[in-house]
Amino acid sequence: MTSLTWPRCRNARDLGGLPISDGGQVRAGALIRSDNLDQLDSHGLAAVQAAGISRIVDLRSAWECEKYPSPFANDERWLNVALTDPADPDVAEQDMFEQYRMLIDDYPHRFTAAVTAIADAPPGCVVVACHAGKDRTGLVIALTLDLLGVPLPAIAADYATAPETTTTNPLPELAPPHPDTILRVLAHLSMRYGGTARYLLQSGATSSQLTALTDRLH
């Protein structure tokens, strides 16, 4: 994976180069994860345009998109797939694994919509983003990489890559991401659903979409 110079975005990186268990790698320039694109300055916007983006999967809730509008909100490439909703139960004080587990178990259709949005995108690079580019993006990217056959240690290392914060706020979501958190999520998917692929298929994804996802990112 390669950090990108998208001015004012602190957590943007190309996932190309991550190993796949069949001996291949995630294709460079195919999948980018990022924090909120509303932070981009003119140079950052130009860098996004130069990346050959075909779809931006914005995982933020409707109120976030309204308060911090994406500079691509009126662009046909932008797609809002909200992974959380203000009406959801407040779980902010739960540890991150429990927050993730509840999202996974209670809202499988949201994850399916996010992952299939990558699969169904027109040819080109797909960007997956949320506010900090850490939790919601981290989950969707972890599921995607797991589908591709990226080894668990590499998925965990990518998840745990995030810029340092200086906050003293005790909320778990503001702490640095820990690799064990995403490993526990993937283990939960395996034990309860039979793995990421079965989880998504049970929630509306098709086999052809999962194949298309693998083909576009290899």
Side-chain angles (χ1 to χ4, degrees):
M1 55 188 176
T2 305
S3 295
L4 299 174
T5 304
W6 287 7
R8 297 187 184 173
C9 278
R10 301 179 61 235
N11 199 16
R13 58 188 180 273
D14 185 339
L15 297 171
L18 286 175
I20 298 174
S21 56
D22 64 5
Q25 295 182 335
V26 178
R27 185 165 58 83
L31 182 63
I32 290 171
R33 58 178 296 171
S34 180
D35 45 337
N36 192 356
L37 302 183
D38 88 302
Q39 304 168 104
L40 291 168
D41 62 12
S42 59
H43 298 290
L45 291 171
V48 172
Q49 297 291 3
I53 305 301
S54 66
R55 173 160 289 168
I56 297 167
V57 183
D58 191 332
L59 302 174
R60 297 177 301 153
S61 64
W63 80 265
E64 289 175 286
C65 292
E66 181 177 351
K67 185 173 183 179
Y68 307 103
S70 170
F72 302 97
N74 295 319
D75 190 311
E76 63 180 6
R77 295 173 295 178
W78 182 79
L79 181 64
N80 181 217
V81 184
L83 212 60
T84 55
D85 187 282
D88 294 345
D90 184 0
V91 296
E93 295 187 2
Q94 299 277 356
D95 69 50
M96 292 314 301
F97 168 70
E98 283 301 314
Q99 291 188 40
Y100 292 171
R101 183 194 61 75
M102 285 184 276
L103 272 176
I104 290 283
D105 289 345
D106 294 347
Y107 309 107
H109 58 287
R110 298 180 185 174
F111 288 93
T112 300
V115 174
T116 56
I118 302 171
D120 295 340
C125 181
V126 176
V127 177
V128 179
C130 60
H131 184 73
K134 178 173 70 74
D135 297 307
R136 290 167 289 186
T137 297
L139 282 170
V140 171
I141 293 298
L143 267 62
T144 301
L145 296 179
D146 192 42
L147 284 171
L148 290 177
V150 173
L152 293 178
I155 296 175
D158 171 69
Y159 166 77
T161 300
E164 293 185 9
T165 60
T166 57
T167 182
T168 58
N169 191 310
L171 284 177
E173 68 184 66
L174 298 178
H178 192 280
D180 183 61
T181 302
I182 207 67
L183 293 176
R184 292 176 67 193
V185 168
L186 294 172
H188 174 72
L189 281 164
S190 179
M191 289 184 290
R192 179 161 181 173
Y193 301 98
T196 299
R198 287 189 179 181
Y199 170 77
L200 296 169
L201 290 168
Q202 291 168 16
S203 305
T206 65
S207 296
S208 61
Q209 286 175 312
L210 300 191
T211 300
L213 181 75
T214 300
D215 289 346
R216 75 178 297 135
L217 298 180
H218 269 76

